[in-house]
Amino acid sequence: MKNIILAILFIMLLAGVSFFGYQYVASDNNQRSATFVEQIKDMNALATSQAFVKTVIDEEDNEVLGWDINFNLPGTERRVFMVVPGTVLAGVNMDQLSEEDVKVDEENKTVSLTLPRATLLQEPAIQMDEVETFTTKGIFRSNVNLEESVGFAAAAQEKMKKEAIDQGVLERAEMNAELALEEFFEFTGYDADITFE
């Protein structure tokens, strides 16, 4: 039994998925279902897809003495062009599973799982040391300050989320979660039928 557990952990690490132990409790179907649910919930989030994204922030504005103006006066213009790289992590929040989402058929050795749809698991991580900033400014304008940098970073994160979703990061996360869990249950002697809703 110990060798099987070690093999499962090794396979999951290779797949980029961490499983924190496996507990096997033999009893009736209801107790078996509860045991599977608790094991899955312990994973909390199954991170199964990562997108590497570069987004561009291109902003122009005009200011006089810190006040925005809607027209172009010589020396008041500024253009900020930033290339912002980052990573977006997607996966399935296993904490949302309930006992009703897991059905175990002991006779046929099958497990039916209903998982929540994949989501982005955290805010995009910006690689600050690789951000490229190009600024052109009039003589009455200053460079980007800290407050503006925070605003530009937030705007970049929003663009990264949209671009990653458009590129299919959520679909990829669900596909990888399905494969990882099927492989996990195969090592426990069960065939898994996984759906998302």
Side-chain angles (χ1 to χ4, degrees):
M1 185 66 174
K2 187 175 181 181
N3 289 338
I4 292 174
I5 294 172
L6 291 174
I8 291 170
L9 290 174
F10 181 72
I11 296 287
M12 290 301 109
L13 284 173
L14 288 180
V17 180
S18 295
F19 289 91
F20 300 102
Y22 171 67
Q23 192 175 25
Y24 185 83
V25 178
S27 186
D28 61 21
N29 285 354
N30 289 337
Q31 187 173 357
R32 182 69 58 79
S33 290
T35 302
F36 279 128
V37 172
E38 196 55 48
Q39 175 61 35
I40 294 168
K41 287 180 73 172
D42 285 346
M43 296 177 218
N44 193 19
L46 186 61
T48 53
S49 184
Q50 187 175 34
F52 298 91
V53 183
K54 275 190 178 179
T55 193
V56 172
I57 300 294
D58 190 359
E59 297 281 340
E60 291 184 65
D61 58 22
N62 291 81
E63 283 186 7
V64 174
L65 300 174
W67 295 88
D68 288 329
I69 58 174
N70 293 326
F71 52 92
N72 210 357
L73 285 177
T76 66
E77 73 281 1
R78 184 182 67 173
R79 182 177 183 188
V80 178
F81 186 85
M82 300 175 74
V83 179
V84 185
T87 55
V88 178
L89 194 64
V92 177
N93 186 353
M94 308 299 266
D95 208 33
Q96 295 176 8
L97 278 182
S98 68
E99 195 169 330
E100 290 73 36
D101 296 321
V102 181
K103 306 275 190 281
V104 179
D105 183 339
E106 201 57 55
E107 185 178 338
N108 295 309
K109 291 291 185 185
T110 60
V111 178
S112 297
L113 286 172
T114 303
L115 301 179
R117 308 299 313 205
T119 60
L120 301 183
L121 298 177
Q122 61 190 31
E123 288 297 307
I126 295 176
Q127 297 164 345
M128 296 302 293
D129 57 329
E130 296 182 28
V131 173
E132 297 177 85
T133 305
F134 307 92
T135 306
T136 58
K137 63 185 190 313
I139 60 172
F140 300 115
R141 297 301 303 278
S142 62
N143 286 323
V144 176
N145 60 35
L146 181 59
E147 184 179 341
E148 290 173 315
S149 295
V150 170
F152 288 139
Q157 285 179 315
E158 288 304 312
K159 289 186 75 173
M160 284 179 185
K161 287 192 277 192
K162 183 179 184 315
E163 289 169 14
I165 290 170
D166 289 345
Q167 290 173 14
V169 71
L170 298 181
E171 290 83 357
R172 174 73 62 178
E174 289 183 359
M175 183 177 72
N176 290 342
E178 184 174 355
L179 290 172
L181 288 170
E182 284 174 349
E183 188 172 273
F184 171 75
F185 282 109
E186 183 181 340
F187 274 96
T188 68
Y190 291 82
D191 289 327
D193 178 30
I194 298 167
T195 57
F196 294 88
E197 62 176 43

